[in-house]
Amino acid sequence: MNTHTPVLYQEVLDLLRPQANGRYLDGTLGAGGHTAGILDASAPDGRVLGFYRDPEAIAFARQKLASYGNRVTFVNDSYARMRQIAPKHGFDQPNGILLDLGLSSRQLDQGERGFSFRQPGPLDMRFDQTQGETAADLLNNRTEAELAEIFWRYGEEKQSRKYARLIVANRPLTTTTQLADLIAGTAFQSSRRRRIHPATQIFQALRIAVNHELEAVETGVPAAIDLLKPGGRLAVISFHSLEDRFVKRLFRQLSQGCTCPPEQPVCTCGGQATLRLITRKAVQATPEEIEVNPRSRSARLRVVEKNAL
Ligand SMILES: C[S@@+](CC[C@H](N)C(=O)[O-])C[C@H]1O[C@@H](n2cnc3c(N)ncnc32)[C@H](O)[C@@H]1O
């Protein structure tokens, strides 16, 4: 296994249970690792519709998946738009949907993409480099208050205001190294001693803001539930507590059914559960997986099945 091996690979396949002749949707195709597993498990005629936002990464995935021929279809769009797009490709009621959120190890390892504070590069961070604001645009043009809000909300960074002030005083910033050094140079002693780099949360917050990742989750997960065939399963892997919290709450709420007070003898609300929880608690990577792929440490997998109403 190497760092490009998909996170929670076997767990996803065991819980999604791809079958021959099934239709599956991979909302975050990335390097195509999970999709390859789904295609193998659904051989000889299962099909995957894969969404991607990174035209650079897709060349790699296409090559990797070439041997599956027309069993896989590539869509250059956000998974948040799956409800509009999937039916056009004959995937109106897929048997399973996977969302493996965040960025891929491959993207992180490419210094020139600007995702990593460990590698020199431009402050870009866009999944799709053909459109939208870069991290540098955001850092150099937003107000101090707006930056502090981004760091606090998406990075859960306790020193958000201090770092926002520091950045505004040192603008313009154009490279990952400039930003990482600026943060590291003023981080409290306590956080300097931490195992993680003090700029970790700032980089994470910027990436999430640049790519509107939380908005995609908030639109895409309900869309996936709507689209799924009754009896079909949805698997979501989150790496960020904000995303995981949203997924957990939505899954719980939709698996509740009747919401009448417990002391009421007869149900009057008529509520029916849309979903059945397949994982009561989030599935996490084993110590063995974390050893070979440290990024898997923060992965949380939650799976639901859509009820037939
Ligand atoms: C964790 S990686 C997925 C890795 C993939 N499961 C594999 O096995 O290679 C997440 C990928 O989703 C992409 N992505 C992020 N947001 C997206 C969105 N809204 N729509 C489509 N793809 C998205 C990222 O560019 C990244 O390539």
Side-chain angles (χ1 to χ4, degrees):
M1 201 191 289
N2 61 37
T3 50
H4 298 316
T5 302
V7 166
L8 296 168
Y9 178 77
Q10 199 52 52
E11 290 84 347
V12 164
L13 293 178
D14 290 348
L15 292 163
L16 212 51
R17 301 190 306 191
Q19 311 279 327
N21 198 31
R23 295 283 174 274
Y24 301 91
L25 206 146
D26 185 346
T28 51
L29 188 73
H34 283 112
T35 279
I38 293 171
L39 289 165
D40 286 338
S42 64
D45 51 0
R47 293 188 53 196
V48 173
L49 184 67
F51 284 73
Y52 67 94
R53 277 184 73 194
D54 184 338
E56 193 281 325
I58 200 62
F60 180 85
R62 272 185 196 277
Q63 204 177 3
K64 178 177 179 143
L65 300 170
S67 62
Y68 297 97
N70 64 5
R71 290 181 59 207
V72 56
T73 305
F74 302 90
V75 177
N76 182 2
D77 213 316
S78 170
Y79 68 78
R81 291 183 8 93
M82 67 171 81
R83 215 170 12 194
Q84 297 91 303
I85 294 171
K88 294 184 188 151
H89 294 273
F91 285 69
D92 7 19
Q93 288 210 317
N95 304 82
I97 300 178
L98 169 66
L99 298 176
D100 176 17
L101 304 173
L103 85 165
S104 68
S105 313
R106 201 168 166 274
Q107 289 165 323
L108 190 64
D109 291 345
Q110 293 171 316
E112 71 279 11
R113 303 295 300 272
F115 290 114
S116 170
F117 49 78
R118 291 186 206 287
Q119 304 198 43
L123 278 165
D124 189 321
M125 299 198 192
R126 288 169 302 169
F127 288 145
D128 180 352
Q129 290 182 294
T130 65
Q131 51 181 298
E133 274 188 314
T134 65
D137 292 335
L138 213 142
L139 282 171
N140 294 325
N141 298 318
R142 296 290 170 93
T143 64
E144 185 179 318
E146 285 169 337
L147 290 178
E149 170 66 17
I150 289 171
F151 301 155
W152 172 254
R153 179 144 193 254
Y154 300 139
E156 296 173 290
E157 172 54 67
K158 292 194 182 68
Q159 302 179 64
S160 55
R161 290 211 190 109
K162 182 182 118 175
Y163 290 142
R165 202 178 320 124
L166 186 71
I167 286 164
V168 169
N170 286 276
R171 300 203 282 212
L173 294 171
T174 54
T175 68
T176 52
T177 320
Q178 265 180 315
L179 177 62
D181 290 349
L182 190 65
I183 302 292
T186 61
F188 283 147
Q189 199 57 34
S190 60
S191 63
R192 278 203 204 132
R193 263 192 245 115
R194 284 185 309 188
R195 220 159 34 86
I196 62 163
H197 190 286
T200 306
Q201 282 142 288
I202 298 294
F203 271 68
Q204 172 188 279
L206 284 170
R207 195 204 80 219
I208 291 174
V210 163
N211 295 295
H212 306 284
E213 290 178 54
L214 209 60
E215 292 91 323
V217 173
E218 288 172 358
T219 310
V221 175
I225 294 168
D226 255 14
L227 193 65
L228 260 187
K229 186 182 175 117
R233 290 187 173 190
L234 166 64
V236 184
I237 305 175
S238 321
F239 292 84
H240 191 289
S241 55
L242 277 177
E243 289 166 349
D244 185 51
R245 212 172 303 147
F246 173 80
V247 172
K248 177 173 149 183
R249 286 194 184 146
L250 184 67
F251 283 5
R252 269 220 192 119
Q253 190 193 330
L254 295 180
S255 60
Q256 246 173 18
C258 169
T259 51
C260 294
E263 62 277 10
Q264 190 173 303
V266 182
C267 167
T268 51
C269 77
Q272 283 183 301
T274 312
L275 302 174
R276 180 166 76 87
L277 296 178
I278 300 299
T279 52
R280 299 220 146 256
K281 286 177 81 176
V283 177
Q284 298 187 40
T286 60
E288 293 73 30
E289 179 171 357
I290 295 172
E291 176 77 32
V292 284
N293 182 7
R295 214 176 73 82
S296 66
R297 181 180 294 112
S298 43
R300 302 283 181 275
L301 166 65
R302 296 184 188 275
V303 182
V304 282
E305 189 172 287
K306 184 164 172 178
N307 290 329
L309 290 180

